[in-house]
Amino acid sequence: MTSPRPDEKLLHCPALVATRVIAGKWKTRVLWLLRERPHHFGELKGRLPGVSAKVLAEQLQQLERDGLIQGQAELRGGVSFVLYDYTRYGRTLIPALDALGTWGLEHAAWETGR
Amino acid sequence: MTSPRPDEKLLHCPALVATRVIAGKWKTRVLWLLRERPHHFGELKGRLPGVSAKVLAEQLQQLERDGLIQGQAELRGGVSFVLYDYTRYGRTLIPALDALGTWGLEHAAWETGR
DNA sequence: CCGCATCCCTAGCGATACTG
DNA sequence: CAGTATCGCTAGGGATGCGG
């Protein structure tokens, strides 16, 4: 349920497009971190305890394929760094991400208050 | 990845709370339909081509457990109908859903225009 | 009409190890 | 540092059928 498939003659549900793109155990978190500033692969891995290099690479590739982020390789003394950041298009998703975050905060309040 | 687990000492990411709750192949669509008006189980099943009764029931239960929707049983001549609708709390999620939907629309425009 | 019990099967995720 | 290759596992989802 990552990238849009050719099938699905289903229900017209615009929200589904967005959920498909951000579905994936780490994508929301990656997007959240990148909102702050660009990150290197290693930085992301460091700030996401529990993720394996393989899976993180997969998720980043998918986000890149979907046009939300892009990685810029920079060689520092023969050692490769890749800096990931939002694309212009990817940034258009941020308001929606904020809406989800806002609700998450309300949720926390509701959880403790019931 | 449906209901919050006791583990996950991870990153503070409020948006993740929301994504966990709406994660599931049919939840977004169900929530989208309920936005319009309350629906019976059978109605939902009818408007969601491809879903099986079992899976739909599961997804509805999870949404109910998470406090977003609630089902009201009404017996019509010995035949049981269950009417599903948002809870007051569930409605607080609608703005976030709208944000996702809005982006989905922009996405469609972007897709055709590149 | 609705929910539940069974069985199965695939996609996503994770651990490890190895190249540029 | 970044990415790839293998292998394995488990949870989510799907098909079918019974019972309330």
Side-chain angles (χ1 to χ4, degrees):
Chain A
M1 202 162 97
T2 54
S3 296
R5 299 253 201 86
D7 57 286
E8 315 229 8
K9 306 288 179 197
L10 288 167
L11 171 75
H12 175 64
C13 176
L16 201 54
V17 180
T19 59
R20 258 207 296 261
V21 162
I22 62 175
K25 187 165 178 180
W26 305 96
K27 290 189 191 172
T28 310
R29 292 185 263 236
V30 167
L31 260 16
W32 200 256
L33 288 176
L34 290 187
R35 230 176 44 140
E36 185 185 322
R37 60 177 171 79
H39 282 69
H40 295 288
F41 183 94
E43 270 183 310
L44 289 173
K45 182 151 168 37
R47 298 188 67 179
L48 295 172
V51 74
S52 72
K54 177 204 145 192
V55 172
L56 181 54
E58 280 175 358
Q59 308 265 310
L60 290 171
Q61 280 170 24
Q62 289 171 12
L63 289 172
E64 203 164 5
R65 271 200 284 275
D66 289 330
L68 298 184
I69 68 174
Q70 82 192 35
Q72 181 65 41
E74 58 178 291
L75 290 174
R76 283 187 196 170
V79 185
S80 62
F81 271 70
V82 181
L83 191 62
Y84 287 95
D85 194 8
Y86 276 103
T87 59
R88 173 182 288 271
Y89 175 60
R91 284 185 212 288
T92 64
L93 185 59
I94 293 183
L97 239 35
D98 285 337
L100 291 175
T102 301
W103 188 84
L105 263 19
E106 291 172 13
H107 176 84
W110 179 80
E111 276 277 278
T112 61
R114 66 165 169 176
Chain B
M1 202 160 99
T2 52
S3 295
R5 299 250 201 86
D7 57 285
E8 316 230 8
K9 305 290 178 194
L10 288 167
L11 172 74
H12 174 65
C13 176
L16 202 52
V17 181
T19 59
R20 260 208 295 260
V21 162
I22 63 174
K25 187 163 179 182
W26 305 96
K27 290 190 192 171
T28 309
R29 293 185 263 237
V30 167
L31 260 15
W32 200 257
L33 288 177
L34 291 188
R35 232 176 43 139
E36 186 186 322
R37 60 176 171 77
H39 283 68
H40 296 287
F41 183 93
E43 271 182 311
L44 289 174
K45 181 150 171 39
R47 297 188 66 179
L48 295 172
V51 74
S52 73
K54 178 208 145 191
V55 172
L56 180 54
E58 279 174 358
Q59 307 264 312
L60 290 171
Q61 279 169 24
Q62 289 171 13
L63 289 172
E64 202 164 6
R65 269 200 286 274
D66 289 331
L68 298 183
I69 68 173
Q70 81 192 37
Q72 181 64 42
E74 56 179 291
L75 291 173
R76 282 188 196 170
V79 184
S80 62
F81 271 71
V82 182
L83 190 61
Y84 288 96
D85 194 8
Y86 276 102
T87 59
R88 173 182 289 269
Y89 175 59
R91 285 185 211 286
T92 63
L93 185 60
I94 292 184
L97 239 38
D98 285 337
L100 291 175
T102 301
W103 189 84
L105 264 18
E106 291 172 13
H107 176 84
W110 179 80
E111 276 276 279
T112 61
R114 67 164 172 177

